């Protein structure tokens, strides 16, 4: 047992039946381990000491039925103080408590409570009221338990609402994630389809170009390899035909001019001109030559017949 840093006699020496009196021992901390070894001590008096707080393992002393913590300097009780489910009598007079832990609502067997002379929260102070006699202390226990149960229920509802909001938020995140993944899959699918279509167009274009080249090459080969029998007979150069026609036109023109000149010299007054005289003489000579030539042909023909 700690007493201002020193050690005192054994707790068993202070045990009287089921009551253990540790009041006025100048304790700075509670000897929880030694108390846990005395399960018969259901009544514990820790009043009039220098306790500022209770250790968390204090709540393991579930065998306690009556607990006196009055006239200490406690500023708060452990959060799991409600584990002391067998507690029926609790004296917290003249401490420095402002609030009680929510787990206080679990002290379902609590029948007596004194919270006087604590700087309690106004709402809690009003609920607790005075504890000047047995009746008021019992009423304080009932009212404080009800108040703490209401706080616990409200906290439970808030916790449930928070959990529900978190679950909904998680569902929304999961739905958003699924939607995002589906959108990404659709985008990848569309990109893949576009890439496939692009490659198909390139393939078709390459195939068409290749076919065009093959067609052109085949056409050139066919034209190169045509048999000579199928070729057309060589045509005389067009310039030769043009030259023959030109000579013929010139001859016809000259002949026409001669005929015109001859007609003018025979039929007009120009026949006495020197030029016409020469033309007429030439005409008569040519005509005589032609007649002689005709006579010669007739003679040759007659000789051949004989």
């Amino acid at each position: 047992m700690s007493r201002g840093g020193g050690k005192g006699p054994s707790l068993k020496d202070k045990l009287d039946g089921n009551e253990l009196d540790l009041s006025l021992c100048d304790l700075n901390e509670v000897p929880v381990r030694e108390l846990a070894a005395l399960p018969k001590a259901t009544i514990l008096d820790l009043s009039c000491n220098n306790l500022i707080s209770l250790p968390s393992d204090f709540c393991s002393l579930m065998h306690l039925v009556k607990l006196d913590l009055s006239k200490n300097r406690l500023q708060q009780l452990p959060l799991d103080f409600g584990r002391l489910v067998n507690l029926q009598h609790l004296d917290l007079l003249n401490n420095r408590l402002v609030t009680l832990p929510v787990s206080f609502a679990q002290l379902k067997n609590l029948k007596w409570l004194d919270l006087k002379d604590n700087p309690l929260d106004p709402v809690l102070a009003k609920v607790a009221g005075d504890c000047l006699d047995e009746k008021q202390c019992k009423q304080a226990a009932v009212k404080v338990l009800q108040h703490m149960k209401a706080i616990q229920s409200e906290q439970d509802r808030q916790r449930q609402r928070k959990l529900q909001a978190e679950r909904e938020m998680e569902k929304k995140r999961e739905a958003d994630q699924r939607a995002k993944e589906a959108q990404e899959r659709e985008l990848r699918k569309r990109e893949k389809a576009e890439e496939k279509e692009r490659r198909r167009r390139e393939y078709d274009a390459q195939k068409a170009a290749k076919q065009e080249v093959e067609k052109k090459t085949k056409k050139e080969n066919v034209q190169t390899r045509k048999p000579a029998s199928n070729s057309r007979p060589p045509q005389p150069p067009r310039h030769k035909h043009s030259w023959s026609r030109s000579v013929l036109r010139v001859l016809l023109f000259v002949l026409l001019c001669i005929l015109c000149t001859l007609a003018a010299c025979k039929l007009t007054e120009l026949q006495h001109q020197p030029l016409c005289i020469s033309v007429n003489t030439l005409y008569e000579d040519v005509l005589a030559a032609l007649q002689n030539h005709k006579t010669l042909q007739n003679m040759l023909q007659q000789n051949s017949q004989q």
Side-chain angles (χ1 to χ4, degrees), residues 123-295:
V123 176
L124 180 58
K126 183 178 180 180
V127 171
D130 292 328
C131 183
L132 301 177
D133 54 33
E134 189 73 12
K135 182 179 179 180
Q136 288 182 343
C137 293
K138 288 182 178 181
Q139 290 178 350
V142 174
K143 292 180 180 180
V144 170
L145 282 178
Q146 291 176 349
H147 176 68
M148 298 310 298
K149 287 179 180 179
I151 293 176
Q152 186 181 46
S153 298
E154 180 60 27
Q155 288 189 355
D156 290 342
R157 285 192 293 271
Q158 291 180 358
R159 191 179 300 108
Q160 289 297 326
R161 287 195 292 268
K162 184 178 179 180
L163 290 175
Q164 182 66 23
E166 290 178 353
R167 284 195 293 268
E168 292 178 356
M169 185 63 67
E170 182 64 23
K171 289 181 180 179
K172 186 176 183 299
R173 282 196 296 267
E174 292 176 356
D176 292 343
Q177 183 65 25
R178 288 194 296 270
K180 183 179 179 181
E181 292 175 355
Q183 186 176 4
E184 291 177 352
R185 286 195 301 270
E186 183 65 24
L187 179 60
R188 288 194 297 270
K189 184 178 179 181
R190 185 164 59 250
E191 290 176 349
K192 185 176 180 181
E194 291 175 354
E195 177 66 15
K196 187 175 181 180
E197 181 63 23
R198 183 186 65 79
R199 291 171 59 187
R200 182 183 289 110
R201 287 197 298 268
E202 290 180 355
Y203 173 78
D204 292 341
Q206 292 176 357
K207 186 176 180 181
K210 184 177 180 181
Q211 290 177 350
E212 184 66 23
V213 171
E214 292 176 352
K215 183 178 180 181
K216 185 176 180 182
T217 304
K218 185 176 180 181
K219 184 177 180 181
E220 291 176 354
N221 292 336
V222 169
Q223 291 178 352
T224 303
R225 298 176 183 177
K226 271 187 177 182
S229 58
N230 294 333
S231 59
R232 294 181 179 180
Q235 299 288 337
R238 291 191 177 187
H239 64 276
K240 293 183 178 180
H241 292 284
S242 301
W243 183 80
S244 300
R245 283 195 290 269
S246 298
V247 171
L248 183 61
R249 289 194 189 98
V250 171
L251 291 176
L252 290 175
F253 178 73
V254 171
L255 181 60
L256 181 62
C257 291
I258 292 172
L259 292 175
C260 291
T261 302
L262 184 61
C265 290
K266 286 289 185 181
L267 301 176
T268 63
E269 296 178 353
L270 296 175
Q271 58 184 338
H272 299 293
Q273 295 294 327
L275 178 62
C276 286
I277 293 172
S278 299
V279 169
N280 291 331
T281 301
L282 179 61
Y283 172 73
E284 290 176 357
D285 291 340
V286 170
L287 184 62
L290 290 174
Q291 289 176 352
N292 291 332
H293 179 66
K294 187 175 181 181
T295 302

Side-chain angles (χ1 to χ4, degrees), residues 96-122:
R96 299 178 182 178
L97 298 172
V98 177
T99 60
L100 297 174
V102 178
S103 65
F104 200 91
Q106 299 174 13
L107 301 177
K108 57 183 179 180
N109 293 314
L110 190 63
K111 303 294 189 296
W112 193 97
L113 177 63
D114 189 357
L115 288 172
K116 290 193 311 296
D117 299 331
N118 280 281
L120 296 174
D121 176 82

